[in-house]
């Protein structure tokens, strides 16, 4: 068998997808709370600002309320993009690509001068979105395998290999509902 390899470049689009996947799976309540906070307080501040304008009680306070409300609304509406931008800024100095090799019993990960092996037996969950397949380990760490960079096989072969070795079903968590990947492989 040919060895399947891929690599992940941590660009903005990749990080945005990661934020969406995290929000749908392991950080669902936290992200819902953050977005709801921004949207509800944004609407409230905009409403207060508009109410103050209608009462003709000055310009500065209504303007400040409307600006704060608008910023909160933007934060709530573009939550994933802003989170991805923030993560990208945090990672700016550590943007090396991760290289993955699907071995017989492990996934070999090489990033810069560091490397590690992740046993398939420790896989807790397999997730898939438009750009990547996510292997979530029992200790909470995750691997993001970019589907666009697969070498030594096809994306379908990589899916099948991971499902077989991990013994977990592949769950679609992408934006477009049940994607073609959902029909894919069960262990």
């Amino acid at each position: 068998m040919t060895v399947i390899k891929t690599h992940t470049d941590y660009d903005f689009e990749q990080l945005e997808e990661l934020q969406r996947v995290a929000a749908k799976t392991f950080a669902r309540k936290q992200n819902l709370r953050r977005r709801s906070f921004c949207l509800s307080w944004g609407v409230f501040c905009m409403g207060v600002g508009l109410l103050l304008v209608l009462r003709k009680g000055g310009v500065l306070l209504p303007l400040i309320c409307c600006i704060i409300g608008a910023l909160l609304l933007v934060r709530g509406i573009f939550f994933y993009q802003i989170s991805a931008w923030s993560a990208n800024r945090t990672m700016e100095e550590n943007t090396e690509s991760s290289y993955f090799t699907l071995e017989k019993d492990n996934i070999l990960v090489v990033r810069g001068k560091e490397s590690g092996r992740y046993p398939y037996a420790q896989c807790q969950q397999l997730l898939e979105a438009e750009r990547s397949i996510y292997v979530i380990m029992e200790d909470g760490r995750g691997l993001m395998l970019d589907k666009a960079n697969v070498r030594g096989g096809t994306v379908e072969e990589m899916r099948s290999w991971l499902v077989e070795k991990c013994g977990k079903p592949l769950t679609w968590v992408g934006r477009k509902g049940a994607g073609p990947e959902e029909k894919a492989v069960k262990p």
Side-chain angles (χ1 to χ4, degrees):
M1 179 195 147
T2 311
V3 176
I4 298 175
K5 297 181 177 189
T6 188
H7 72 274
T8 301
D9 301 318
Y10 300 98
D11 58 12
F12 178 80
E13 289 80 18
Q14 200 76 332
L15 292 173
E16 181 183 354
E17 182 183 88
L18 176 61
Q19 298 300 320
R20 288 181 187 283
V21 169
K24 282 186 174 183
T25 55
F26 26 91
R28 176 176 269 152
K29 288 181 182 178
Q30 180 184 14
N31 284 308
L32 180 60
R33 207 170 324 151
R34 284 180 174 167
R35 284 189 80 193
S36 298
F37 174 85
C38 290
L39 293 171
S40 59
W41 279 99
V43 168
F44 177 76
C45 288
M46 291 287 287
V48 167
L50 294 175
L51 185 65
L52 290 173
V53 165
L54 292 176
R55 291 197 173 189
K56 300 177 183 169
V59 176
L60 186 60
L61 187 57
L63 183 62
I64 291 171
C65 286
C66 287
I67 289 172
I68 290 172
L71 290 173
L72 286 169
L73 284 173
V74 167
R75 171 75 172 141
I77 293 168
F78 297 104
F79 182 79
Y80 301 115
Q81 294 87 347
I82 293 170
S83 297
W85 176 78
S86 178
N88 193 26
R89 284 181 42 104
T90 302
M91 291 178 60
E92 211 164 85
E93 295 175 9
N94 192 14
T95 57
E96 292 181 82
S97 297
S98 293
Y99 294 86
F100 304 94
T101 303
L102 304 183
E103 298 177 332
K104 182 180 175 185
D105 297 319
N106 307 291
I107 300 174
L108 171 64
V109 181
V110 177
R111 185 170 186 174
K113 296 177 182 179
E114 297 178 16
S115 67
R117 284 189 161 72
Y118 294 82
Y120 298 115
Q122 293 180 5
C123 174
Q124 179 181 3
Q125 197 174 19
L126 286 174
L127 306 171
E128 182 171 7
E130 289 82 6
R131 294 181 57 119
S132 299
I133 294 176
Y134 299 83
V135 181
I136 310 302
M137 308 307 282
E138 291 172 348
D139 64 3
R141 290 184 286 174
L143 308 175
M144 185 175 12
L145 309 174
D146 192 332
K147 297 188 295 188
N149 298 321
V150 174
R151 304 292 177 259
T154 65
V155 173
E156 185 58 44
E157 290 171 329
M158 182 170 74
R159 274 189 208 106
S160 297
W161 178 266
L162 289 168
V163 167
E164 176 188 332
K165 293 295 184 176
C166 294
K168 305 288 181 190
L170 192 62
T171 304
W172 177 258
V173 292
R175 292 174 109 182
K176 298 172 183 147
E181 294 76 3
E182 180 123 322
K183 300 182 246 177
V185 235
K186 303 275 185 216

